[in-house]
Amino acid sequence: SDYEEGDGWVYRDGTLTITENGGLKDFISNDQDEQTGVWKYQHTPWQVDDLEIGNNVTELSIVERGWSRFTPSCITIEPGNTCFIIDNGWVVNKKTNTLFSASNLANKGSSESVDNIPEYIEHIGAHAFYDYEYIKHVTIPQSVVSIGDYAFDSCKALQSALFPRDLQSIGTSAFYGCQSLEKIQLGAEVNDIGTYAFGWCPALSSVDI
């Protein structure tokens, strides 16, 4: 079997199991020795077919824009994990009510509309919808108070996003590269908009804050 272990993760035959907090970040980071050019780990993010969240994991984090090199077809949760669940097709951290990703990533290329995010979600996680290039409309639940870094980065077809009344923060590059986004309307509670949150949005003609 094709096997490798790292700091908080195990790779076996195309399946990456995150065993401890920080494991996903460590796997994607994969430092290269400056002198020898040898990588710390032999396996790379694009070799992963399936991602499994281990039963000890209570939070997931990845390096900046690392998700662009990480394209598993599905995400599962190891039995016994008390923090993460799959709800209506979404991987959710119930401890923080954060949406991490869709569980079936193989279908992200065919989705044009997202309107089934669980109503209790408070945070859209970093990279949650990164490179969903075909989605045109997203309905964000009214319970959401923050949108993470790169959450909708490179959603080229996105035309509209209905922002919650109580939204407080929008992360760095959250909507960067949303080339079809025409209008945004933000409520009075927004107190933090990250750098390049709406960078490279050439169709954006109306901003109502």
Side-chain angles (χ1 to χ4, degrees):
S1 120
D2 187 12
Y3 182 87
E4 186 178 18
E5 288 187 36
D7 187 8
W9 58 268
V10 173
Y11 175 93
R12 188 193 300 274
D13 298 333
T15 296
L16 177 68
T17 300
I18 307 303
T19 57
E20 301 292 341
N21 292 344
L24 181 57
K25 182 176 180 178
D26 179 74
F27 177 81
I28 293 179
S29 298
N30 195 11
D31 299 326
Q32 187 179 27
D33 190 288
E34 295 181 359
Q35 296 181 343
T36 65
V38 177
W39 294 96
K40 181 179 179 181
Y41 302 123
Q42 69 182 58
H43 290 95
T44 58
W46 49 82
Q47 291 176 291
V48 176
D49 297 321
D50 302 305
L51 173 66
E52 181 181 50
I53 302 173
N55 57 22
N56 290 330
V57 177
T58 59
E59 60 183 38
L60 289 176
S61 60
I62 57 178
V63 295
E64 184 175 297
R65 298 183 67 86
W67 197 252
S68 63
R69 299 183 290 115
F70 190 64
T71 55
S73 58
C74 71
I75 300 176
T76 58
I77 300 172
E78 188 176 21
N81 188 301
T82 59
C83 189
F84 282 89
I85 63 170
I86 295 178
D87 186 354
N88 204 24
W90 301 103
V91 179
V92 175
N93 184 333
K94 276 295 293 176
K95 177 182 176 182
T96 60
N97 286 337
T98 299
L99 187 147
F100 176 71
S101 172
S103 58
N104 186 353
L105 292 170
N107 289 337
K108 79 174 188 177
S110 60
S111 302
E112 291 192 0
S113 179
V114 174
D115 56 8
N116 64 341
I117 298 174
E119 291 297 324
Y120 57 81
I121 292 296
E122 296 178 17
H123 311 280
I124 303 295
H127 306 265
F129 294 92
Y130 173 81
D131 201 25
Y132 275 61
E133 58 181 333
Y134 297 107
I135 61 169
K136 297 180 180 179
H137 309 286
V138 175
T139 301
I140 302 173
Q142 289 298 317
S143 55
V144 169
V145 296
S146 73
I147 298 175
D149 297 345
Y150 306 98
F152 294 91
D153 184 3
S154 300
C155 293
K156 301 174 183 177
L158 184 63
Q159 299 173 0
S160 65
L162 200 58
F163 292 103
R165 292 184 302 271
D166 296 329
L167 182 67
Q168 298 174 17
S169 66
I170 300 174
T172 297
S173 297
F175 291 86
Y176 185 89
C178 292
Q179 301 174 37
S180 302
L181 188 62
E182 299 176 351
K183 179 181 180 179
I184 59 174
Q185 184 172 2
L186 303 176
E189 298 301 317
V190 173
N191 55 51
D192 185 22
I193 300 177
T195 306
Y196 298 116
F198 297 95
W200 195 29
C201 294
L204 189 58
S205 59
S206 175
V207 178
D208 184 4
I209 302 178

